[in-house]
Amino acid sequence: MSLPSEEWRDCTVRGNQKYCGNLRSQKTYLSKGGGSVNALDGVSLSFGERGIVFILGKSTLLDLCGGFDFPDGGEIVINGQSDKTFLRTDFDSYRNTYVGFVFQEYNVLDEFSVDDNISLALDLQGKNKDRHAVEDILKKVDLSVSAKRKPSTLSEGQKQRIAIARALVKDPETFLQTNLRARLTPKPEN
């Protein structure tokens, strides 16, 4: 199933509130000891079309919201469409186009330069490398002087900023980040 952009923007209206994401789900994992762990049990959330939402301490929930994992029960409704009707490629399209996700372990590619890591997000969207957009986002995360360096030569905080820049250069409708500021280093004062 292909999802044209206008379908993704079809949100649910209740009263004077517009909801573009809903999640009602449960997720269970097997523990190392063989027992089951309910990571989510009966969680129900709705996200408005605009605004900022902070969810702390639940990477499983962020993985479900970002389309990286699937619920064992319940459903995820994204802009009016249930995940029950999605193919894996639909989730790929959703992640590549509408979600900027910053992983706890960055997921930067050490064989690519910093600016190529950021450009990769545009490539996955089917866009050409926009040198000006990449330069602009590098300035915003204070990595302009490191654009041609390999991530393996950078600090953990700088790698985290590469991941943030890669998520933001896509101009996503939704920004998800696990462990907010966990490895960011403070900007030195002049």
Side-chain angles (χ1 to χ4, degrees), residues 1 3 8 22-27 64 69-78 80-88 90-91:
M1 174 174 97
L3 296 173
W8 284 99
N22 297 293
L23 178 121
R24 292 178 303 281
S25 68
Q26 66 184 56
K27 182 69 182 178
L64 291 173
D69 201 353
F70 307 98
D72 297 329
E75 74 177 330
I76 301 170
V77 178
I78 301 167
Q81 290 191 305
S82 171
D83 70 321
K84 305 289 187 212
T85 64
F86 281 21
L87 301 174
R88 185 164 294 279
D90 296 328
F91 274 112

Side-chain angles (χ1 to χ4, degrees), residues 65-115:
C65 290
F68 290 99
D69 201 353
F70 307 98
D72 297 329
E75 74 177 330
I76 301 170
V77 178
I78 301 167
N79 292 338
Q81 290 191 305
S82 171
D83 70 321
K84 305 289 187 212
T85 64
F86 281 21
L87 301 174
R88 185 164 294 279
T89 55
D90 296 328
F91 274 112
D92 292 343
S93 175
Y94 166 69
R95 282 189 304 271
N96 290 335
T97 308
Y98 294 94
V99 177
F101 200 98
V102 179
F103 298 92
Q104 188 169 344
E105 297 300 324
Y106 330 120
N107 289 1
V108 296
L109 302 172
D110 283 330
E111 57 274 4
F112 286 19
S113 65
V114 170
D115 63 347

Side-chain angles (χ1 to χ4, degrees), residues 24 58 71 110 122 138 145 151 153 176:
R24 292 178 303 281
K58 269 318 214 188
D110 283 330
L122 298 172
L138 282 169
V145 297
T153 67
L176 302 171

Side-chain angles (χ1 to χ4, degrees), residues 41-172:
D41 189 11
V43 171
S44 180
L45 295 170
S46 292
F47 300 101
E49 181 181 36
R50 298 262 185 259
I52 297 174
V53 176
F54 291 92
I55 300 171
L56 304 174
K58 269 318 214 188
S59 55
T60 299
L61 182 57
L62 291 176
D63 287 346
L64 291 173
C65 290
F68 290 99
D69 201 353
F70 307 98
D72 297 329
E75 74 177 330
I76 301 170
V77 178
I78 301 167
N79 292 338
Q81 290 191 305
S82 171
D83 70 321
K84 305 289 187 212
T85 64
F86 281 21
L87 301 174
R88 185 164 294 279
T89 55
D90 296 328
F91 274 112
D92 292 343
S93 175
Y94 166 69
R95 282 189 304 271
N96 290 335
T97 308
Y98 294 94
V99 177
F101 200 98
V102 179
F103 298 92
Q104 188 169 344
E105 297 300 324
Y106 330 120
N107 289 1
V108 296
L109 302 172
D110 283 330
E111 57 274 4
F112 286 19
S113 65
V114 170
D115 63 347
D116 285 340
N117 263 281
I118 295 167
S119 295
L120 180 62
L122 298 172
D123 291 341
L124 291 172
Q125 285 184 305
K127 295 179 181 177
N128 292 327
K129 180 177 179 177
D130 182 343
R131 191 172 53 86
H132 295 297
V134 172
E135 288 173 0
D136 184 50
I137 202 75
L138 282 169
K139 285 179 191 168
K140 288 179 180 175
V141 297
D142 199 26
L143 285 174
S144 295
V145 297
S146 303
K148 297 300 177 192
R149 290 178 61 184
K150 302 286 185 186
S152 60
T153 67
L154 301 174
S155 73
E156 298 295 301
Q158 289 169 314
K159 290 178 188 177
Q160 184 76 349
R161 286 187 275 150
I162 295 168
I164 292 169
R166 186 181 54 210
L168 292 176
V169 77
K170 297 178 355 175
D171 193 25

